[in-house]
């Protein structure tokens, strides 16, 4: 499977707001921990190694 | 029989007649190093009728427990060599592992080892017992001569062997060998003398091992702490050994002073912090160590062959050090014997290098991954490690990511030139290159194990029917629980060609003597 970079979020503005809200009042260290847990949870949900590798490459490329 | 105190044994230096000869004596095989790997090499060769001289620069066995986890495969190999059962019986077996993070136990697991194997997944046993039992086994073979306090100080490789210069309490002498097996450990002096190196990754971390003797009511379990309150920001491992000895492994960090940290006044408070203020214990042994994951580019250098830690090094997480060294020897023994008998070309030894370099890479990969999890080396690596541990409290997927050492399993030698590729369809794990799986069998009315029925040479295993010299399931053996057929995906007519080191060489759905003969030639490295 290919990494989907086309619009796929049902409610993009709601998602983005919730993402920022997730970090409210957290120290940078706490935020880093939350992000790491989020990545792990999402990675497991996706499951497909090929998609995950493509996403990591895309993220690293900036 | 009461156990010998192997740590206090001093093996006497004896002057050899070779030291008085005007010309150097010549031996077919000289093994350098009488550790677990060198001793195993000597027994394997002697059992195949090859005379062996073993040289060791010391006069003692292992001081301290050192390697303590011996895997199923090492026990199976030692069983083939006549001392595996004794090790398994003495060793401590465990199934439950507990993982702690900070103040809490975050989960525990049961190894639930697969039933129907002659040996457990692994046992905990002090290295001095393993070496002691091996040493006693060598005494059964007149063809093994161990020379203690014989330190190799020079090596001169040649096309047909090598000359060794050996230092003894009586001065030095020279010895010629057709083959030299370097089993002289991670700092291998032979490797250095030949201008060779092992390359890889050195981990900037230090660990303290403390062995304590106590009659505490800790169960036979493996406890692993990440960042515990009694040893903040580091990891700790508690493991049980025979004789009420417990191994405690403390991560110390790179800045720790290795000399100061092994002093009892520094060690005892650490142990007491773990065991509690009222614990009664004696400190048996302690050591501070570092490690590297590395290997030599090639294990074979003409007639000098490197095995065990001399050839490759791993972190201790996952028990892949001594266990992989024993598998090196398992791979090399039969090949060397065939070459010495003139039955196989000398190039067969190169396949030892190819196969075990491949296995070493697998071991290094696994042990490096464990090390990166246990001792994260960047801030973000630590953040992810802790996130995995946080989630592991109640998420099954995260428990699969926790890596405090993966179980040591033997490499399947995919792609080895000795394998005959399948021409028939098979399912399951017993592909060419795999180590044969064990299974319960009945032979002559007695219950036993399949692996005990494999011979010293090549074995043809047939299901249902087969030639007279084959091991035929249904004629020679009864597949007691049907596990043999299941593990080998066997149907009537299926046959497997099994190497002397119990790896699958080839398999077919029906027996064909010409194909078997060709596969044996291939597995012996003969040109097609």
């Amino acid at each position: 499977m290919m990494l989907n970079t086309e619009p796929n979020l049902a409610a993009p503005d709601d998602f983005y707001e919730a993402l920022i809200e997730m970090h409210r009042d957290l120290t940078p260290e706490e935020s880093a921990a939350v992000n790491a847990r989020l990545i792990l949870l999402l990675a497991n949900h996706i499951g497909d190694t090929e998609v995950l590798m493509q996403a990591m490459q895309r993220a690293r490329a900036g | 029989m009461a156990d010998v105190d192997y740590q206090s044994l001093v093996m006497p230096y004896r002057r050899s007649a070779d030291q008085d000869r005007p010309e150097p004596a010549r031996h077919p095989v000289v093994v350098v190093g009488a550790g677990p790997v060198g001793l195993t090499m000597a027994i394997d060769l002697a059992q195949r009728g090859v005379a062996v001289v073993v040289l060791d620069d010391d006069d003692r066995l292992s001081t301290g427990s050192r390697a303590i986890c011996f895997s199923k495969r090492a026990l199976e190999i030692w069983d083939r060599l006549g001392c595996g059962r004794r090790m398994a019986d003495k060793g401590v077996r465990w199934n439950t592992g507990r993982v702690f993070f900070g103040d809490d136990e975050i989960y525990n697991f049961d190894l639930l080892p697969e039933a129907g194997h002659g040996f457990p997944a692994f046992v905990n046993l002090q290295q001095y017992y393993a070496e002691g039992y091996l040493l006693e086994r060598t005494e059964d073979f007149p063809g093994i001569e161990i020379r203690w306090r014989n330190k190799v100080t020079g090596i001169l490789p040649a096309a047909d062997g090598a000359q060794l210069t050996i230092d003894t309490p009586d001065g030095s002498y020279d010895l010629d060998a057709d083959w030299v097996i370097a089993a002289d450990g991670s700092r291998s002096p032979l490797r250095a003398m030949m201008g060779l190196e092992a390359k890889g990754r050195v981990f900037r971390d230090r660990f303290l091992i403390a062995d304590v003797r106590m009659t505490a009511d800790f169960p036979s379990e493996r406890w692993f702490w990440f960042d515990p309150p009694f040893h903040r920001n580091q990891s700790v491992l508690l493991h049980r050994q025979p004789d009420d000895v417990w191994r405690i492994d403390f991560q110390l960090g790179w800045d720790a002073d290795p000399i100061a940290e092994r002093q009892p006044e520094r060690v005892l408070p650490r142990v007491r912090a773990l065991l509690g203020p009222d614990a009664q214990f004696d400190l048996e042994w302690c050591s501070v160590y570092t490690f590297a994951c590395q290997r030599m580019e090639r294990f074979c250098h003409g007639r000098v062959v490197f095995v065990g830690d001399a050839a490759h090094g791993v972190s201790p997480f996952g028990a892949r050090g001594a266990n992989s060294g024993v598998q090196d020897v398992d791979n090399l023994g039969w090949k060397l014997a065939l070459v010495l008998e003139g039955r196989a070309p000398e190039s067969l030894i190169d396949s030892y290098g190819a196969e075990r370099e491949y296995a070493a890479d697998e071991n290094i990969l696994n042990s490096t991954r464990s090390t990166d999890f246990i001792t994260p080396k960047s801030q973000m690596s630590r953040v992810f490690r802790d996130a995995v541990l946080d989630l592991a409290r109640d998420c099954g997927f995260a428990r699969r990511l926790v890596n405090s050492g993966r179980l040591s399993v033997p490499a399947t030698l995919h792609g080895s030139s000795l394998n005959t590729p399948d021409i028939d369809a098979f399912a399951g794990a017993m592909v060419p290159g795999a180590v044969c799986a064990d299974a319960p069998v009945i032979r002559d009315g007695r219950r036993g194990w399949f692996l005990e029925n494999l011979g010293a040479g090549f074995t043809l295993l047939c299901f249902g029917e087969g030639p007279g010299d084959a091991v035929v399931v249904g004629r020679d053996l009864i597949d007691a629980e049907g596990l043999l057929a299941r593990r080998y995906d066997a149907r009537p007519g299926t046959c497997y060609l099994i190497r002397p080191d119990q790896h699958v060489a080839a398999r077919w759905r029906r027996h064909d003597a010409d194909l078997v003969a060709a596969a044996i030639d291939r597995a012996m490295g003969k040109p097609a």
Side-chain angles (χ1 to χ4, degrees):
Chain A
M1 200 153 53
M2 284 290 290
L3 177 69
N4 184 4
T5 56
E6 295 304 312
N8 191 43
L9 292 163
D13 291 344
D14 292 351
F15 160 72
Y16 193 80
E17 183 189 355
L19 184 65
I20 302 307
E21 182 64 16
M22 181 181 75
H23 288 285
R24 188 159 56 85
D25 302 332
L26 298 184
T27 64
E29 289 75 22
E30 289 164 339
S31 276
V34 168
N35 276 340
R37 289 196 287 268
L38 181 67
I39 290 169
L40 292 168
L41 286 161
L42 294 176
N44 181 62
H45 186 85
I46 293 164
D48 187 310
T49 306
E50 202 180 332
V51 170
L52 294 171
M53 295 294 171
Q54 288 174 43
M56 284 190 267
Q57 283 163 16
R58 181 67 186 79
R60 170 95 192 193
Chain B
M1 186 173 77
D3 276 307
V4 175
D5 179 5
Y6 292 109
Q7 286 187 95
S8 68
L9 278 187
V10 177
M11 270 65 70
Y13 161 76
R14 288 200 185 88
R15 189 177 174 87
S16 155
D18 286 351
Q19 290 166 253
D20 299 315
R21 293 184 210 283
E23 293 297 319
R26 189 167 191 96
H27 295 273
V29 180
V30 173
V31 174
V32 181
V37 176
L39 291 172
T40 304
M41 179 88 261
I43 296 166
D44 196 330
L45 289 168
Q47 195 164 278
R48 297 181 188 284
V50 177
V52 187
V53 173
V54 182
L55 306 175
D56 196 275
D57 61 0
D58 196 13
D59 54 8
R60 285 174 173 273
L61 298 178
S62 170
T63 302
S65 59
R66 299 171 67 189
I68 63 160
C69 288
F70 293 103
S71 71
K72 175 166 168 289
R73 185 60 200 148
L75 295 170
E76 288 169 353
I77 293 165
W78 283 329
D79 191 44
R80 182 172 66 71
L81 300 178
C83 52
R85 191 55 63 186
R86 192 177 176 197
M87 303 214 200
D89 290 345
K90 177 70 185 176
V92 170
R93 301 178 189 204
W94 62 273
N95 286 323
T96 301
R98 295 185 191 278
V99 178
F100 301 83
F101 180 39
D103 296 311
D104 311 318
E105 177 179 336
I106 53 171
Y107 73 98
N108 58 69
F109 58 91
D110 190 332
L111 286 177
L112 285 176
E114 190 182 61
H117 292 264
F119 286 91
F122 47 84
V123 297
N124 288 358
L125 182 70
Q126 292 91 332
Q127 183 170 333
Y128 47 79
Y129 278 119
E131 290 186 6
Y133 294 175
L134 286 164
L135 181 65
E136 287 172 10
R137 179 65 177 140
T138 64
E139 290 160 7
D140 296 334
F141 298 95
I144 299 177
E145 186 194 343
I146 306 180
R147 299 182 187 173
W148 305 100
R149 296 184 73 188
N150 272 239
K151 181 186 169 75
V152 176
T153 56
I155 182 165
L156 203 63
D160 63 347
Q163 185 166 86
L164 296 167
T165 301
I166 299 156
D167 199 29
T168 76
D170 285 338
S172 79
Y173 70 107
D174 290 347
L175 208 57
D176 286 327
D178 294 338
W179 292 88
V180 174
I181 310 303
D184 55 347
S186 60
R187 283 185 281 270
S188 177
L190 272 180
R191 194 176 66 209
M193 282 177 228
M194 290 180 64
L196 301 167
E197 353 171 48
K199 289 183 188 163
R201 199 169 143 196
V202 179
F203 289 89
R204 290 166 59 85
D205 213 329
R206 295 185 202 281
F207 289 79
L208 166 70
I209 291 177
D211 273 0
V212 300
R213 190 183 290 268
M214 59 177 178
T215 45
D217 54 358
F218 279 101
S220 295
E221 298 176 345
R222 178 187 197 262
W223 290 13
F224 200 101
W225 286 267
F226 293 97
D227 193 12
F230 56 84
H231 194 60
R232 274 293 171 206
N233 286 313
Q234 309 281 15
S235 67
V236 178
L237 171 66
L238 176 70
H239 233 184
R240 185 177 198 165
Q241 305 170 55
D243 306 340
D244 296 318
V245 176
W246 299 79
R247 157 73 61 86
I248 311 174
D249 224 316
F250 295 92
Q251 183 193 359
L252 297 177
W254 182 243
D255 297 331
D257 179 338
I259 306 294
E261 289 294 347
R262 73 172 70 114
Q263 306 309 316
E265 63 268 25
R266 291 286 272 275
V267 177
L268 291 171
R270 293 193 190 285
V271 174
R272 200 164 287 290
L274 187 162
L275 297 176
D278 302 325
Q280 298 287 315
F281 63 88
D282 295 310
L283 189 61
E284 283 259 310
W285 174 66
C286 57
S287 172
V288 173
Y289 66 93
T290 58
F291 53 80
C293 289
Q294 59 185 20
R295 75 164 170 89
M296 296 176 72
E297 193 180 341
R298 286 181 297 118
F299 297 173
C300 300
H301 291 267
R303 293 292 189 91
V304 184
V305 182
F306 290 81
V307 295
D309 286 353
H312 46 76
V314 290
S315 81
F317 311 116
R320 288 164 189 271
N323 288 310
S324 65
V326 171
Q327 290 168 65
D328 288 347
V329 162
D330 185 42
N331 188 295
L332 180 58
W334 64 277
K335 295 175 179 175
L336 196 50
L338 283 174
V339 169
L340 283 163
E341 290 164 18
R343 292 170 57 205
E346 195 171 323
S347 59
L348 180 61
I349 302 303
D350 296 335
S351 76
Y352 156 77
E355 292 185 337
R356 295 309 299 169
E357 287 155 15
Y358 174 89
D361 285 344
E362 190 173 296
N363 286 321
I364 287 169
L365 176 70
N366 276 289
S367 97
T368 301
R369 286 174 170 177
S370 300
T371 307
D372 282 337
F373 192 88
I374 293 166
T375 69
K377 290 295 180 285
S378 74
Q379 200 185 334
M380 194 45 67
S381 175
R382 172 72 189 255
V383 167
F384 273 108
R385 200 281 304 272
D386 288 354
V388 166
L389 293 170
D390 272 335
L391 292 170
R393 292 171 207 272
D394 49 23
C395 297
F397 89 88
R399 293 178 187 178
R400 294 283 299 275
L401 294 173
V402 175
N403 189 344
S404 65
R406 297 280 181 239
L407 193 64
S408 170
V409 290
T412 294
L413 305 169
H414 294 290
S416 167
S417 64
L418 306 191
N419 298 345
T420 296
D422 283 335
I423 50 172
D424 298 326
F426 280 90
M430 290 298 102
V431 299
V435 171
C436 284
D438 206 357
V441 296
I442 297 170
R443 181 161 200 156
D444 302 329
R446 282 197 307 274
R447 296 188 74 87
W449 299 100
F450 169 64
L451 293 181
E452 298 164 354
N453 290 279
L454 297 177
F458 285 87
T459 300
L460 186 64
L461 167 70
C462 298
F463 289 81
E465 55 183 14
D469 57 355
V471 172
V472 179
V473 180
R475 183 186 75 192
D476 307 312
L477 293 180
I478 296 169
D479 185 6
E481 297 170 25
L483 286 172
L484 193 62
R486 193 185 311 163
R487 288 177 182 161
Y488 288 76
D489 184 31
R491 300 197 289 260
T494 295
C495 55
Y496 277 76
L497 177 67
I498 298 167
R499 300 178 0 175
D501 57 9
Q502 303 181 344
H503 283 63
V504 174
R507 56 185 179 169
W508 304 272
R509 286 299 181 190
R510 50 180 284 281
H511 177 252
D512 179 322
D514 291 339
L515 292 179
V516 172
I520 291 176
D521 281 353
R522 188 182 174 102
M524 285 170 53
K526 293 185 186 172

